[in-house]
Amino acid sequence: MELPKIKREVERLANILGKAEDCLDQGELTVRIQKLDKIIAQSNFWKNPGTAYQLLQEIEYFIFYRQEKYRRWCAILEDIKAALELLESSNDEQLLQETQLNLRHLQQELETIEIQQLLSDPDDQMGTLVTIAAEGDGAEAQDWAYVLMRLYWNWGKNHNYQVHLVEIVDGDGGGINYATLEIVGRYVYGFLKSETGIHQLQRISPFNANGNLQTSLARVEVIPILDESLNLEIPEKDLEITKWRWHDGGVNRSETWVKVFHIPTGITIFCDQERSQMHNHEQALAILKSKLWALMQSQGVQDVTAIQPSRIKSLSEKPIREYILHPYTRAKDLRTHVETTSVRKVLNGNIDLFIKAYLQQQYQIWE
């Protein structure tokens, strides 16, 4: 990278940091941290691990992102500026390489912050539930759904979020029929809301000896995790709950799955990942409440009984992205037209380029 290009990039990164500084209110930070400390000190803090983790994430965000990390980024940027002044008058190849390396590291860290600055909806800061479903009963679609589940799992882990598999139904020929991941952390929903829709894969079929080109579809639905303080109540008459527990002869083998069916909307939640039936029951209800809350928001109603099933429209029916592995490689977003040939990296969870472009399009912000 030539010096003029480095200078332009330094100016861009300084602008990002300037916007982050506008969000820093030391008095507000101190009050918020003190409030969170009092919550942690309560004896029942760890009763709900998911909520506890989210609060710890918030503390980490306030202390290490909004204060410590900001100071460190500013220091790195100043070091780069000082190095550029020296490079103006000297041809120090080693210093140039060190400057370029520091710049790349700063670019990577500020990429997430740049995306966060596009998130203004209150739900954007929530954790999220990501449901992946195969569009079709064949092994191709089921395998593709599994690949997408792994993609979002890796994305969450790469961003240091907590990721849990909360429901899964395996496919007949391998892969999955559908699965739901719970990804807990700050801004997860804001990042991943762009992923709702139909994802299309084109490749040479690994399940066909003839090596035919195959197109597979999978549906992704992303909704925010309901804030427990909202206390959404579902009438018991609207629920059909099936539980199963049995013992086979003298073997102490148990099944602890729970299926919750919401009669008015037809939503079914199946949870079997927790060791106890009680926890699977709680998890299934939590997922159902989040889905019903999302429906209430989309229909503009204040009560769960006011949801109109006839008005339920799935945003996940729209094709949003294609992944081509043959005869060439390309991953392309059909809304923003952003594309890359690094499909394997995308399938390993590197989707931030698509997320950023989608948010820029939504808020009509372009570089």
Side-chain angles (χ1 to χ4, degrees), residues 31 68 73 159 164 234 286 307 311 329 359:
V31 170
E68 299 301 329
W73 292 331
H159 286 74
H164 306 284
I234 306 174
I307 294 174
R311 290 181 55 203
T329 59
L359 291 171

Side-chain angles (χ1 to χ4, degrees), residues 41-95:
Q42 295 175 2
S43 58
N44 62 346
F45 175 71
W46 291 106
K47 186 176 181 180
N48 188 320
T51 303
Y53 178 76
Q54 201 152 1
L55 281 170
L56 292 175
Q57 281 265 312
E58 187 170 359
I59 290 176
E60 182 181 14
Y61 168 78
F62 276 115
I63 296 175
F64 295 104
Y65 158 54
R66 296 187 69 174
Q67 292 181 307
E68 299 301 329
K69 278 195 174 182
Y70 174 77
R71 294 191 188 103
R72 184 171 65 83
W73 292 331
C74 288
I76 294 173
L77 192 63
E78 289 304 315
D79 288 344
I80 292 173
K81 288 180 179 179
L84 287 176
E85 291 183 5
L86 291 174
L87 288 169
E88 289 281 2
S89 57
S90 67
N91 190 21
D92 190 331
E93 186 63 29
Q94 183 177 353
L95 180 60

Side-chain angles (χ1 to χ4, degrees), residues 32-48:
R32 184 59 182 155
I33 291 170
Q34 289 174 348
K35 183 179 179 181
L36 292 171
D37 284 340
K38 289 180 180 179
I39 294 174
I40 290 176
Q42 295 175 2
S43 58
N44 62 346
F45 175 71
W46 291 106
K47 186 176 181 180
N48 188 320

